[in-house]
Amino acid sequence: MRVWPRFFLAFLALGFGCIRGASACVESAAVYPDLSAVFISTTAGLPADYVPTDLVELGNKVETNGPVCLKTEAASNLLKMFEAARADGVKLAVAAAYKKPAGGQPSENQLGTAVDLTDASINYALFDQDFSNSRGGRGMRRNAHKYGFIISHP
């Protein structure tokens, strides 16, 4: 399931453990306007060298499977959403966030506002369709919009 808003948020999965250290967020050599509101589909993507501005690393703030970067505003809202989920006993983790498109395939993640998620109730499974029926997935359907996210891909 995918959440995307003004920030996009995808719900998928991977095996987790926090990785801390130097920032893995990249900076663009190219200069582009802010494209965070652009609609991405399988046929319409961003320039291959597009990197959003103001990426921040989340690996030391949330459970991840590696370095994870998001635009500042999306990261702030994601942290609030994770905090609320934790208060409800849901242990979310980020599988992926900002990434360049692979093999020329357009990806919402390139915007720096999309996130692939998983949770402990499905053992942080990799790209598990069960996430939509997990505690975390059900919680996202009820609450993601409160933090500026929508589900873009089930």
Side-chain angles (χ1 to χ4, degrees):
M1 134 181 334
R2 194 115 178 181
V3 168
W4 72 248
R6 301 186 309 222
F7 328 122
F8 306 89
L9 181 84
F11 297 96
L12 301 175
L14 278 184
F16 290 81
C18 244
I19 293 182
R20 291 169 172 57
S23 176
C25 300
V26 296
E27 293 184 19
S28 177
V31 177
Y32 290 100
D34 181 9
L35 299 176
S36 60
V38 171
F39 178 75
I40 305 297
S41 72
T42 57
T43 59
L46 297 168
D49 62 345
Y50 175 76
V51 177
T53 59
D54 76 325
L55 288 175
V56 295
E57 188 173 358
L58 294 175
N60 61 346
K61 298 177 179 80
V62 298
E63 289 296 316
T64 71
N65 69 320
V68 172
C69 300
L70 281 177
K71 287 179 66 71
T72 303
E73 188 178 5
S76 175
N77 285 8
L78 184 76
L79 293 174
K80 291 173 190 172
M81 187 170 68
F82 269 47
E83 186 177 312
R86 265 192 306 279
D88 287 340
V90 175
K91 296 177 183 176
L92 295 171
V94 176
Y98 166 78
K99 59 185 171 186
K100 289 192 172 250
Q105 180 72 2
S107 171
E108 293 171 341
N109 294 75
Q110 190 182 2
L111 292 168
T113 55
V115 183
D116 300 341
L117 298 180
T118 187
D119 75 359
S121 74
I122 57 169
N123 297 316
Y124 304 109
L126 175 61
F127 303 109
D128 195 316
Q129 295 300 319
D130 289 339
F131 182 74
S132 64
N133 296 315
S134 72
R135 287 191 68 207
R138 290 189 309 269
M140 291 302 99
R141 283 195 305 277
R142 286 190 310 273
N143 299 304
H145 69 280
K146 297 175 184 176
Y147 302 94
F149 293 95
I150 63 168
I151 298 169
S152 66
H153 294 283

Short mmCIF file of all heavy atoms in Angstrom, two decimals, residues 18-61:
data_model
loop_
_atom_site.label_atom_id
_atom_site.label_comp_id
_atom_site.label_asym_id
_atom_site.label_seq_id
_atom_site.Cartn_x
_atom_site.Cartn_y
_atom_site.Cartn_z
N CYS A 18 18.41 -0.06 12.92
CA CYS A 18 18.79 1.32 12.66
C CYS A 18 20.25 1.42 12.24
O CYS A 18 21.10 0.78 12.83
CB CYS A 18 18.58 2.16 13.91
SG CYS A 18 17.34 3.40 13.69
N ILE A 19 20.53 2.20 11.24
CA ILE A 19 21.90 2.47 10.82
C ILE A 19 22.17 3.93 11.10
O ILE A 19 21.43 4.80 10.66
CB ILE A 19 22.09 2.15 9.33
CG1 ILE A 19 21.95 0.65 9.12
CG2 ILE A 19 23.42 2.68 8.83
CD1 ILE A 19 22.17 0.20 7.72
N ARG A 20 23.24 4.17 11.84
CA ARG A 20 23.57 5.54 12.21
C ARG A 20 24.91 5.90 11.59
O ARG A 20 25.72 5.05 11.29
CB ARG A 20 23.63 5.67 13.72
CG ARG A 20 22.28 5.53 14.37
CD ARG A 20 22.41 5.40 15.88
NE ARG A 20 21.19 5.43 16.61
CZ ARG A 20 20.14 4.64 16.47
NH1 ARG A 20 20.14 3.75 15.54
NH2 ARG A 20 19.09 4.74 17.23
N GLY A 21 25.16 7.19 11.46
CA GLY A 21 26.44 7.59 10.93
C GLY A 21 26.30 8.82 10.06
O GLY A 21 25.33 9.56 10.16
N ALA A 22 27.30 9.02 9.20
CA ALA A 22 27.30 10.20 8.34
C ALA A 22 26.08 10.18 7.42
O ALA A 22 25.59 9.13 7.05
CB ALA A 22 28.58 10.22 7.51
N SER A 23 25.64 11.35 7.04
CA SER A 23 24.47 11.46 6.19
C SER A 23 24.70 10.81 4.84
O SER A 23 25.73 11.00 4.21
CB SER A 23 24.09 12.92 5.99
OG SER A 23 23.01 13.01 5.09
N ALA A 24 23.72 10.03 4.42
CA ALA A 24 23.79 9.38 3.12
C ALA A 24 22.97 10.15 2.10
O ALA A 24 22.84 9.72 0.97
CB ALA A 24 23.27 7.95 3.23
N CYS A 25 22.40 11.26 2.50
CA CYS A 25 21.57 12.04 1.59
C CYS A 25 22.46 12.69 0.53
O CYS A 25 23.52 13.21 0.83
CB CYS A 25 20.80 13.12 2.35
SG CYS A 25 19.70 12.44 3.60
N VAL A 26 22.00 12.62 -0.70
CA VAL A 26 22.77 13.16 -1.81
C VAL A 26 22.32 14.57 -2.15
O VAL A 26 21.22 14.98 -1.79
CB VAL A 26 22.62 12.26 -3.07
CG1 VAL A 26 23.20 10.89 -2.80
CG2 VAL A 26 21.18 12.16 -3.48
N GLU A 27 23.18 15.28 -2.82
CA GLU A 27 22.82 16.61 -3.31
C GLU A 27 22.93 16.59 -4.82
O GLU A 27 23.75 15.88 -5.38
CB GLU A 27 23.75 17.66 -2.72
CG GLU A 27 23.56 17.83 -1.22
CD GLU A 27 24.41 18.95 -0.66
OE1 GLU A 27 24.87 19.81 -1.43
OE2 GLU A 27 24.62 18.94 0.55
N SER A 28 22.09 17.36 -5.46
CA SER A 28 22.06 17.40 -6.91
C SER A 28 23.05 18.41 -7.45
O SER A 28 23.19 19.51 -6.92
CB SER A 28 20.66 17.77 -7.39
OG SER A 28 20.64 17.87 -8.80
N ALA A 29 23.72 18.01 -8.53
CA ALA A 29 24.57 18.96 -9.24
C ALA A 29 23.72 19.80 -10.19
O ALA A 29 24.07 20.92 -10.52
CB ALA A 29 25.64 18.21 -10.01
N ALA A 30 22.58 19.25 -10.59
CA ALA A 30 21.68 19.95 -11.49
C ALA A 30 20.77 20.88 -10.68
O ALA A 30 20.52 20.65 -9.51
CB ALA A 30 20.83 18.96 -12.27
N VAL A 31 20.27 21.91 -11.34
CA VAL A 31 19.37 22.84 -10.67
C VAL A 31 17.98 22.70 -11.29
O VAL A 31 17.81 22.90 -12.49
CB VAL A 31 19.87 24.30 -10.81
CG1 VAL A 31 18.89 25.26 -10.17
CG2 VAL A 31 21.25 24.44 -10.21
N TYR A 32 17.03 22.30 -10.47
CA TYR A 32 15.65 22.15 -10.90
C TYR A 32 14.75 22.90 -9.94
O TYR A 32 15.10 23.07 -8.77
CB TYR A 32 15.22 20.67 -10.88
CG TYR A 32 15.87 19.83 -11.94
CD1 TYR A 32 16.95 19.03 -11.64
CD2 TYR A 32 15.39 19.83 -13.25
CE1 TYR A 32 17.55 18.23 -12.62
CE2 TYR A 32 15.98 19.05 -14.22
CZ TYR A 32 17.06 18.26 -13.90
OH TYR A 32 17.63 17.48 -14.87
N PRO A 33 13.58 23.32 -10.38
CA PRO A 33 12.62 23.89 -9.44
C PRO A 33 12.12 22.78 -8.51
O PRO A 33 12.37 21.60 -8.76
CB PRO A 33 11.48 24.39 -10.35
CG PRO A 33 11.59 23.54 -11.57
CD PRO A 33 13.05 23.23 -11.73
N ASP A 34 11.41 23.14 -7.47
CA ASP A 34 10.83 22.15 -6.57
C ASP A 34 9.77 21.37 -7.34
O ASP A 34 8.79 21.94 -7.80
CB ASP A 34 10.21 22.83 -5.36
CG ASP A 34 9.61 21.84 -4.38
OD1 ASP A 34 9.81 20.63 -4.53
OD2 ASP A 34 8.92 22.30 -3.45
N LEU A 35 9.97 20.08 -7.49
CA LEU A 35 9.04 19.24 -8.25
C LEU A 35 8.23 18.32 -7.34
O LEU A 35 7.64 17.35 -7.80
CB LEU A 35 9.82 18.40 -9.28
CG LEU A 35 10.60 19.20 -10.32
CD1 LEU A 35 11.41 18.27 -11.22
CD2 LEU A 35 9.66 20.06 -11.16
N SER A 36 8.17 18.62 -6.04
CA SER A 36 7.53 17.71 -5.10
C SER A 36 6.04 17.53 -5.32
O SER A 36 5.46 16.56 -4.84
CB SER A 36 7.80 18.14 -3.66
OG SER A 36 7.30 19.43 -3.42
N ALA A 37 5.41 18.40 -6.07
CA ALA A 37 3.97 18.26 -6.33
C ALA A 37 3.69 17.58 -7.67
O ALA A 37 2.54 17.44 -8.05
CB ALA A 37 3.29 19.62 -6.29
N VAL A 38 4.73 17.11 -8.34
CA VAL A 38 4.56 16.46 -9.64
C VAL A 38 3.98 15.06 -9.46
O VAL A 38 4.39 14.31 -8.57
CB VAL A 38 5.92 16.37 -10.37
CG1 VAL A 38 5.84 15.51 -11.62
CG2 VAL A 38 6.42 17.76 -10.72
N PHE A 39 3.02 14.69 -10.29
CA PHE A 39 2.45 13.36 -10.26
C PHE A 39 3.37 12.41 -11.01
O PHE A 39 3.76 12.67 -12.14
CB PHE A 39 1.06 13.35 -10.90
CG PHE A 39 0.44 11.99 -10.95
CD1 PHE A 39 -0.08 11.41 -9.80
CD2 PHE A 39 0.39 11.27 -12.13
CE1 PHE A 39 -0.63 10.15 -9.82
CE2 PHE A 39 -0.16 10.00 -12.17
CZ PHE A 39 -0.68 9.45 -11.01
N ILE A 40 3.73 11.30 -10.36
CA ILE A 40 4.62 10.31 -10.95
C ILE A 40 3.80 9.07 -11.27
O ILE A 40 3.01 8.60 -10.45
CB ILE A 40 5.74 9.92 -9.97
CG1 ILE A 40 6.51 11.14 -9.50
CG2 ILE A 40 6.67 8.89 -10.59
CD1 ILE A 40 7.23 11.89 -10.59
N SER A 41 3.98 8.52 -12.48
CA SER A 41 3.31 7.28 -12.85
C SER A 41 4.32 6.38 -13.55
O SER A 41 5.48 6.75 -13.71
CB SER A 41 2.13 7.58 -13.79
OG SER A 41 2.62 7.98 -15.07
N THR A 42 3.88 5.23 -13.98
CA THR A 42 4.79 4.31 -14.68
C THR A 42 5.24 4.86 -16.02
O THR A 42 6.21 4.38 -16.60
CB THR A 42 4.14 2.93 -14.88
OG1 THR A 42 2.92 3.11 -15.61
CG2 THR A 42 3.87 2.25 -13.56
N THR A 43 4.56 5.88 -16.52
CA THR A 43 4.93 6.47 -17.81
C THR A 43 5.45 7.89 -17.70
O THR A 43 5.96 8.43 -18.67
CB THR A 43 3.73 6.46 -18.78
OG1 THR A 43 2.66 7.20 -18.20
CG2 THR A 43 3.29 5.04 -19.08
N ALA A 44 5.32 8.52 -16.55
CA ALA A 44 5.76 9.91 -16.38
C ALA A 44 6.62 10.02 -15.14
O ALA A 44 6.14 9.82 -14.03
CB ALA A 44 4.55 10.83 -16.26
N GLY A 45 7.89 10.31 -15.33
CA GLY A 45 8.80 10.42 -14.21
C GLY A 45 9.48 11.77 -14.17
O GLY A 45 9.06 12.73 -14.83
N LEU A 46 10.53 11.83 -13.40
CA LEU A 46 11.34 13.04 -13.25
C LEU A 46 12.63 12.87 -14.04
O LEU A 46 12.99 11.75 -14.41
CB LEU A 46 11.67 13.24 -11.77
CG LEU A 46 10.47 13.47 -10.85
CD1 LEU A 46 10.88 13.35 -9.40
CD2 LEU A 46 9.86 14.83 -11.12
N PRO A 47 13.37 13.96 -14.25
CA PRO A 47 14.69 13.80 -14.88
C PRO A 47 15.54 12.84 -14.05
O PRO A 47 15.49 12.86 -12.81
CB PRO A 47 15.25 15.22 -14.84
CG PRO A 47 14.06 16.12 -14.76
CD PRO A 47 13.04 15.35 -13.95
N ALA A 48 16.31 12.01 -14.68
CA ALA A 48 17.10 10.99 -13.99
C ALA A 48 18.05 11.58 -12.96
O ALA A 48 18.33 10.96 -11.93
CB ALA A 48 17.88 10.14 -15.00
N ASP A 49 18.54 12.81 -13.20
CA ASP A 49 19.48 13.42 -12.26
C ASP A 49 18.80 14.32 -11.23
O ASP A 49 19.46 15.01 -10.47
CB ASP A 49 20.56 14.19 -13.01
CG ASP A 49 20.01 15.35 -13.83
OD1 ASP A 49 18.78 15.40 -14.07
OD2 ASP A 49 20.83 16.20 -14.25
N TYR A 50 17.46 14.29 -11.17
CA TYR A 50 16.75 15.13 -10.21
C TYR A 50 16.96 14.60 -8.79
O TYR A 50 16.79 13.43 -8.50
CB TYR A 50 15.24 15.15 -10.49
CG TYR A 50 14.47 15.91 -9.44
CD1 TYR A 50 14.48 17.30 -9.40
CD2 TYR A 50 13.74 15.22 -8.46
CE1 TYR A 50 13.79 17.99 -8.43
CE2 TYR A 50 13.04 15.91 -7.49
CZ TYR A 50 13.07 17.29 -7.47
OH TYR A 50 12.39 17.98 -6.50
N VAL A 51 17.38 15.50 -7.91
CA VAL A 51 17.49 15.23 -6.48
C VAL A 51 16.76 16.37 -5.79
O VAL A 51 17.07 17.54 -6.03
CB VAL A 51 18.96 15.18 -6.01
CG1 VAL A 51 19.03 14.97 -4.51
CG2 VAL A 51 19.71 14.09 -6.75
N PRO A 52 15.78 16.07 -4.92
CA PRO A 52 15.06 17.15 -4.24
C PRO A 52 15.98 17.92 -3.30
O PRO A 52 16.99 17.40 -2.82
CB PRO A 52 13.97 16.41 -3.47
CG PRO A 52 14.37 14.99 -3.43
CD PRO A 52 15.32 14.76 -4.55
N THR A 53 15.61 19.16 -3.05
CA THR A 53 16.36 19.97 -2.10
C THR A 53 15.98 19.57 -0.68
O THR A 53 14.99 18.91 -0.45
CB THR A 53 16.05 21.46 -2.30
OG1 THR A 53 14.64 21.65 -2.13
CG2 THR A 53 16.48 21.94 -3.67
N ASP A 54 16.71 19.96 0.26
CA ASP A 54 16.51 19.81 1.70
C ASP A 54 16.22 18.39 2.18
O ASP A 54 15.39 18.16 3.05
CB ASP A 54 15.47 20.82 2.22
CG ASP A 54 14.01 20.50 1.92
OD1 ASP A 54 13.73 19.95 0.86
OD2 ASP A 54 13.17 20.81 2.78
N LEU A 55 16.97 17.42 1.63
CA LEU A 55 16.84 16.05 2.13
C LEU A 55 17.52 15.94 3.50
O LEU A 55 18.60 16.49 3.70
CB LEU A 55 17.51 15.05 1.18
CG LEU A 55 16.82 14.79 -0.15
CD1 LEU A 55 17.70 13.89 -1.02
CD2 LEU A 55 15.45 14.17 0.05
N VAL A 56 16.88 15.24 4.42
CA VAL A 56 17.46 14.97 5.73
C VAL A 56 17.44 13.47 5.97
O VAL A 56 16.54 12.77 5.50
CB VAL A 56 16.72 15.70 6.87
CG1 VAL A 56 16.86 17.21 6.73
CG2 VAL A 56 15.26 15.30 6.92
N GLU A 57 18.43 12.98 6.71
CA GLU A 57 18.50 11.54 6.99
C GLU A 57 17.68 11.21 8.23
O GLU A 57 17.69 11.93 9.22
CB GLU A 57 19.94 11.11 7.19
CG GLU A 57 20.06 9.61 7.30
CD GLU A 57 21.49 9.12 7.33
OE1 GLU A 57 22.41 9.94 7.23
OE2 GLU A 57 21.67 7.91 7.45
N LEU A 58 16.95 10.09 8.15
CA LEU A 58 16.10 9.65 9.25
C LEU A 58 16.64 8.44 9.99
O LEU A 58 16.07 8.04 11.00
CB LEU A 58 14.71 9.27 8.72
CG LEU A 58 13.88 10.40 8.15
CD1 LEU A 58 12.60 9.85 7.55
CD2 LEU A 58 13.58 11.39 9.24
N GLY A 59 17.72 7.84 9.52
CA GLY A 59 18.22 6.59 10.08
C GLY A 59 18.49 6.61 11.56
O GLY A 59 18.45 5.58 12.21
N ASN A 60 18.79 7.76 12.13
CA ASN A 60 19.04 7.81 13.56
C ASN A 60 17.78 8.19 14.35
O ASN A 60 17.84 8.35 15.56
CB ASN A 60 20.18 8.78 13.87
CG ASN A 60 19.87 10.19 13.42
OD1 ASN A 60 18.93 10.41 12.66
ND2 ASN A 60 20.65 11.15 13.88
N LYS A 61 16.65 8.33 13.67
CA LYS A 61 15.42 8.75 14.34
C LYS A 61 14.32 7.69 14.29
O LYS A 61 13.41 7.71 15.11
CB LYS A 61 14.90 10.04 13.72
CG LYS A 61 15.87 11.21 13.87
CD LYS A 61 15.34 12.44 13.18
CE LYS A 61 16.26 13.61 13.34
NZ LYS A 61 17.38 13.61 12.44
#
